[in-house]
Amino acid sequence: MKNTVIVTGGLGYIGSHTVVELLNANYDVVVADNLSNSSEKVIDGIHKITGKTIEFINLDIRDYFKLESLLGFYQLSTVGVIHFAACKSVGESMKEPSKYYDNNVTGTNNLLKAMKRYKADNLVFSSSCTVYGQADDLPVTEQTPQKPAESVYGRTKQICEQMIKDFHAEYNYNSVLLRYFNPIGAHESALIGELPNGTPDNLLPYVAQTASGKRELFTVFGDDYNTEDGTCVRDYLHVVDLAKAHVVAMEKSTEKNLKAEPINLGTGKGYSVKQVLEAFETENNIKVNTHYGNRRKGDVEAIYADPSYAFEILGWTTKYELKDMVKSVWKWELNLQNKTCSKNTCKCQK
Ligand code: UD1
């Protein structure tokens, strides 16, 4: 029986949480990751949580021949491919567009070619709500017209979705396009979480690192938006909820013969940057040294999901609330801090 799932970018933030859920669901997992924004140490965390082992291949998806041989090697046992490997920083994508087109677009094209070559069915694609651009009406449904994305990162996700759709003309496979809103939080064990290399780009890692003393100052990017408190609004969802959606999406994709089916994954609630910051401070009883700065290029003002289609087609809905998410972020940060802290700089009560 086919039981192997190939996960590109499986040691990254969302990838590692998804690998845990796949192992919990008794799949065999092969991770292909180039460690560009992850670490081999994540494998230990996955093992401690699940008691199971994975196959890890250090592989860059831009390397077509290596990717092709991986798919060839696991051809007979592969039940699906979950594709996370990509660069994901909105800000960086505006400064280094070629890096984004190369990793995200060329990498995805390589994967599609290799899947066709070895007749791998079933692709779960890690897309983003960024494909909607700044939508005119909120919440966004899968039918909301797509505006040009505000960032190069967003444009690469729009292009990849289109490639996956177009590829159905060449090759008959099943696929889903999971449009994530803003995943945050960490596994309850605090053994895996978001582990950005260098300075974080995303909101919660930056907030947590400022709270722990690793960063001096957290900057809110703009407080002059046309929102209730002037800061951007996003739909934050717990990464474990999101991870579970991948397992069920892969299974339903085959069961329902889905072809490039877009599915929003969010909670349906929008929170401003200020509200998230306040929740982090209140729930964890800690102050974050904050200042209000300029807008970040490429950011949209406000976006949140209509998640009803995810429930209808996958039977999936989120379980965790904002307070759970921000608490798990801090627990994970303290755990990291415990491994590396020096008494002068951190606040981890060690
Ligand atoms: C975008 C995508 C999201 C994707 C993510 C990957 C959109 C609408 N969302 O998230 O689907 O998963 O990229 O990285 O395109 N902020 C600060 N200060 C900081 C960092 C962030 O104020 O130091 C603010 C941002 O301006 C934004 C919010 O926090 O309003 C969230 O930012 P971030 O965590 O970077 O995610 P997005 O860019 O929204």
Side-chain angles (χ1 to χ4, degrees):
M1 199 185 105
K2 290 187 172 189
N3 200 46
T4 300
V5 182
I6 294 177
V7 185
T8 74
L11 297 189
Y13 174 46
I14 307 168
S16 57
H17 288 81
T18 301
V19 167
V20 165
E21 297 306 323
L22 287 166
L23 293 169
N24 285 343
N26 289 321
Y27 287 102
D28 300 318
V29 177
V30 178
V31 165
D33 196 306
N34 70 354
L35 304 176
S36 62
N37 196 25
S38 58
S39 152
E40 260 184 90
K41 286 184 194 146
V42 174
I43 297 172
D44 292 340
I46 293 170
H47 179 67
K48 280 186 187 135
I49 294 169
T50 61
K52 296 184 178 172
T53 51
I54 59 166
E55 289 294 324
F56 166 62
I57 323 285
N58 190 335
L59 185 155
D60 191 315
I61 54 166
R62 288 169 297 178
D63 182 343
Y64 176 71
F65 293 103
K66 217 168 162 187
L67 185 60
E68 196 204 67
S69 40
L70 174 78
L71 267 85
F73 189 80
Y74 289 100
Q75 181 182 17
L76 296 179
S77 61
T78 301
V79 68
V81 178
I82 305 186
H83 178 35
F84 294 104
C87 298
K88 61 151 200 163
S89 159
V90 168
E92 185 189 55
S93 76
M94 305 304 284
K95 294 180 201 134
E96 295 180 59
S98 61
K99 179 173 171 186
Y100 279 70
Y101 286 110
D102 204 17
N103 273 286
N104 299 5
V105 177
T106 307
T108 300
N109 191 43
N110 282 345
L111 180 65
L112 290 169
K113 282 193 297 182
M115 283 183 69
K116 180 183 168 196
R117 168 95 171 75
Y118 287 105
K119 298 189 173 51
D121 186 24
N122 209 333
L123 174 67
V124 176
F125 178 63
S126 168
S127 189
S128 162
C129 66
T130 196
V131 299
Y132 295 110
Q134 180 56 72
D136 289 335
D137 297 312
L138 297 177
V140 292
T141 71
E142 289 76 3
Q143 280 70 49
T144 295
Q146 290 188 12
K147 295 279 191 59
E150 300 284 327
S151 67
V152 172
Y153 161 74
R155 292 195 273 282
T156 65
K157 290 289 174 187
Q158 288 178 328
I159 294 167
C160 287
E161 282 202 358
Q162 193 56 53
M163 279 163 49
I164 292 165
K165 268 180 222 154
D166 291 341
F167 203 72
H168 280 281
E170 263 189 56
Y171 176 55
N172 185 24
Y173 66 122
N174 296 118
S175 66
V176 285
L177 313 171
L178 300 184
R179 293 179 179 162
Y180 317 149
F181 283 68
N182 283 55
I184 59 170
H187 192 268
E188 59 177 3
S189 64
L191 290 166
I192 54 170
E194 195 163 4
L195 194 60
N197 282 345
T199 311
D201 288 298
N202 294 110
L203 177 61
L204 267 300
Y206 212 105
V207 165
Q209 290 193 12
T210 309
S212 70
K214 267 189 214 153
R215 312 265 156 214
E216 269 177 29
L217 188 64
F218 162 66
T219 303
V220 176
F221 294 141
D223 61 351
D224 57 350
Y225 285 98
N226 188 21
T227 59
E228 219 160 279
D229 63 23
T231 66
C232 289
V233 170
R234 297 284 184 273
D235 183 338
Y236 296 92
L237 77 159
H238 199 297
V239 67
V240 171
D241 277 333
L242 181 62
K244 288 178 195 291
H246 289 75
V247 181
V248 56
M250 189 186 71
E251 291 166 350
K252 297 283 177 193
S253 173
T254 304
E255 205 179 298
K256 301 194 172 185
N257 195 22
L258 302 178
K259 309 280 177 200
E261 190 74 26
I263 305 171
N264 285 344
L265 298 177
T267 64
K269 285 190 214 107
Y271 288 101
S272 71
V273 175
K274 220 170 164 181
Q275 286 174 318
V276 174
L277 178 65
E278 280 165 10
F280 183 90
E281 292 186 321
T282 310
E283 295 300 329
N284 298 311
N285 197 21
I286 191 156
K287 270 318 270 178
V288 179
N289 192 16
T290 301
H291 106 116
Y292 288 82
N294 294 330
R295 292 180 177 198
R296 180 174 66 176
K297 222 174 151 191
D299 271 340
V300 297
E301 182 168 272
I303 191 157
Y304 51 93
D306 175 344
S308 49
Y309 187 58
F311 183 64
E312 188 188 319
I313 193 152
L314 306 178
W316 175 89
T317 164
T318 55
K319 305 238 167 359
Y320 294 97
E321 294 180 10
L322 184 61
K323 63 175 175 13
D324 309 310
M325 304 183 212
V326 293
K327 276 197 225 166
S328 71
V329 170
W330 186 230
K331 189 176 169 194
W332 162 243
E333 178 62 25
L334 288 179
N335 198 19
L336 282 176
Q337 224 27 41
N338 267 322
K339 288 182 192 144
T340 56
C341 82
S342 97
K343 274 189 185 152
N344 300 333
T345 55
C346 99
K347 301 172 184 169
C348 73
Q349 290 123 40
K350 207 175 167 189

